[in-house]
Amino acid sequence: AVLLLNKMITEFRGKIFATNGKRADFDATVEKCREAGGSIATPRNPGENDAILYFVKYFNTYAYLGIKQSLIPGKFQLLNGTPLSYTNWYSNEPSGQGEEECVEMYTDGTWNDKRCNNNRLIVCQF
């Protein structure tokens, strides 16, 4: 199933990231990655962030990450509820004051909180 999804693959310490070059909103990205047998890309360290950034730069477009606002506005966590141990926020982000529940990666690798209904590059991890 992985190969069906993949136009492109990057890898960091055994964690595989893949994209099909298509875009979707946050919920559709989560679903597409699940269908492919993986999950939405979630960087846990600078190396994984760079592996995702490769696609973001290649397609010159932003990607949603597997990070969502917690019940506390402006505080973010992994989709399973785990607190973030690694972050790479752009200067003065997150700035949505609770209105922007999802997180996107910019083309410089930094993160921004964003509404979840934009179309962003689908990047999955396996």
Side-chain angles (χ1 to χ4, degrees):
V2 178
L3 292 176
L4 291 176
L5 176 82
N6 291 341
K7 263 196 193 118
M8 301 182 69
I9 301 176
T10 57
E11 181 267 342
F12 183 76
R13 291 188 190 150
K15 194 158 156 188
I16 294 166
F17 298 93
T19 184
N20 58 8
K22 297 195 168 92
R23 299 174 193 222
D25 65 21
F26 179 81
D27 288 340
T29 298
V30 168
E31 188 53 38
K32 291 278 183 213
C33 291
R34 193 182 291 129
E35 284 170 11
S39 55
I40 183 172
T42 308
R44 304 297 299 271
N45 55 56
E48 292 182 2
N49 205 74
D50 285 347
I52 299 163
L53 176 59
Y54 176 82
F55 300 137
V56 167
K57 280 188 164 162
Y58 184 90
F59 289 99
N60 193 31
T61 188
Y62 303 164
Y64 279 125
L65 302 175
I67 297 166
K68 229 172 168 184
Q69 187 168 263
S70 70
L71 295 173
I72 304 154
K75 295 275 184 217
F76 289 80
Q77 61 190 18
L78 301 180
L79 297 189
N80 65 7
T82 310
L84 298 178
S85 55
Y86 164 76
T87 61
N88 195 36
W89 295 108
Y90 187 75
S91 175
N92 299 319
E93 298 295 342
S95 65
Q97 275 104 31
E99 294 294 310
E100 299 175 327
E101 295 190 6
C102 288
V103 177
E104 63 185 358
M105 180 184 287
Y106 284 157
T107 48
D108 65 355
T110 59
W111 306 353
N112 170 51
D113 56 333
K114 190 76 179 176
R115 290 179 187 270
C116 304
N117 59 353
N118 297 82
N119 281 336
R120 294 290 180 258
L121 184 67
I122 298 171
V123 184
C124 305
Q125 67 186 28
F126 300 90

